[in-house]
Amino acid sequence: VGFERGTVNSTALTAANAHEQTALLARDGGQLSGTGVTVNLVPKTAKGAIITANNLTGVSAQAGGQVSLRDSAITLGGGFNGLNNQGLVAAGAGSRIDFLGGSVSTQSKGSIAVLAQDGGKITLGQGSTLTTSGANSPTTGWRISGRKIYSTGSHGLKADGVDSQISASQISVTTSGAQANAARAENGARIDLDAATLDTGSAVYGHGLLATGNNSQISLNNGSVTTAGKGAVGAWAQDSARIQLGQGTQISTSGASINNASAPQDETTL
């Protein structure tokens, strides 16, 4: 299906109708492509008040579905009390999203701009900007090294599960919620970044790069990571995961309980 210069808006006027909306979906081998596409899943009442909405998805590829978008804008609302709203989601082996240029913005507790899971793959590039806002979702969580790290923080990039992968070049990622990671790989997933700029602002425990679990990997070449929140780590690999920082990568952290990591002239594995 071609969807050139198309627009998808949420017309839901109540929370009941707004929950679990998906704007664009490709599944079971289906293909969807477009340039200059606009998605606005920002439910409002008839009087213009923001509706609290959960589980909104901007673009989804499932069960082998394929999506290709260029110079497109994906915006998800749902309010700061909404839960688990996601911009781009590729789930399952053979599922793929290519998103070149444009922007993704999400809002809610546990919102995620870009999520690859269960073998899904996502490619980002050409100046794409990714922004999340919102606290962690209170639905699930666990402790890492004595600190409470929620699996549903409002992360910028998240890859979860063996063969799940996010590949990105020339992008920027900005997160602002507590415990939100700019890029997070877990359970054997992989994230490869080149010339990427990642910033978690002043968020508490707003880690820049976090890889957790056996065979989980993150690589960053010619990029930068900035954190300024209390307890925020620039690059953190744990539980047999790996982070590789290539030449030209800069990591800057500030605030209380600071940890720093920086790349030498060739490469460092953390």
Side-chain angles (χ1 to χ4, degrees):
V1 176
F3 196 62
E4 302 298 317
R5 308 289 176 184
T7 299
V8 179
N9 293 314
S10 174
T11 59
L13 298 177
T14 66
N17 291 334
H19 289 331
E20 299 185 357
Q21 288 184 329
T22 297
L24 302 177
L25 171 64
R27 61 173 301 154
D28 301 323
Q31 298 182 16
L32 189 154
S33 63
T35 299
V37 174
T38 300
V39 170
N40 287 303
L41 288 191
V42 186
K44 297 180 181 180
T45 67
K47 295 184 178 181
I50 296 295
I51 294 174
T52 296
N54 305 331
N55 302 314
L56 302 177
T57 303
V59 179
S60 179
Q62 304 175 13
Q66 309 277 320
V67 178
S68 178
L69 296 175
R70 291 179 176 270
D71 302 323
S72 298
I74 313 298
T75 304
L76 277 77
F80 288 107
N81 289 319
L83 297 174
N84 309 324
N85 298 329
Q86 301 167 341
L88 309 179
V89 181
S95 301
R96 183 180 183 91
I97 296 176
D98 295 326
F99 190 86
L100 303 177
S103 63
V104 178
S105 176
T106 66
Q107 180 188 80
S108 77
K109 296 177 180 178
S111 70
I112 299 175
V114 177
L115 172 62
Q117 61 184 6
D118 301 328
K121 292 179 169 53
I122 297 177
T123 299
L124 309 166
Q126 297 183 2
S128 297
T129 61
L130 314 168
T131 306
T132 69
S133 59
N136 54 276
S137 169
T139 55
T140 60
W142 64 81
R143 289 187 178 273
I144 297 177
S145 302
R147 297 177 179 175
K148 200 169 188 180
I149 306 297
Y150 281 85
S151 62
T152 49
S154 292
H155 308 310
L157 309 176
K158 181 179 177 181
D160 184 3
V162 175
D163 293 328
S164 300
Q165 184 172 0
I166 297 173
S167 301
S169 177
Q170 297 180 335
I171 68 166
S172 66
V173 179
T174 304
T175 64
S176 59
Q179 300 172 335
N181 309 143
R184 179 187 183 103
E186 58 186 55
N187 300 317
R190 183 182 184 103
I191 297 176
D192 295 311
L193 305 171
D194 182 67
T197 301
L198 304 102
D199 191 339
T200 63
S202 58
V204 175
Y205 299 132
H207 309 312
L209 308 176
L210 177 62
T212 176
N214 190 42
N215 293 324
S216 298
Q217 299 182 54
I218 297 177
S219 67
L220 174 60
N221 296 307
N222 299 308
S224 66
V225 177
T226 303
T227 71
K230 180 180 179 180
V233 179
W236 183 5
Q238 60 98 47
D239 289 345
S240 301
R242 287 164 46 97
I243 293 178
Q244 295 179 314
L245 304 177
Q247 184 175 2
T249 294
Q250 298 181 339
I251 294 186
S252 174
T253 66
S254 60
S257 302
I258 297 172
N259 290 271
N260 285 282
S262 60
Q265 291 187 354
D266 51 2
E267 185 176 88
T268 292
T269 298
L270 303 176

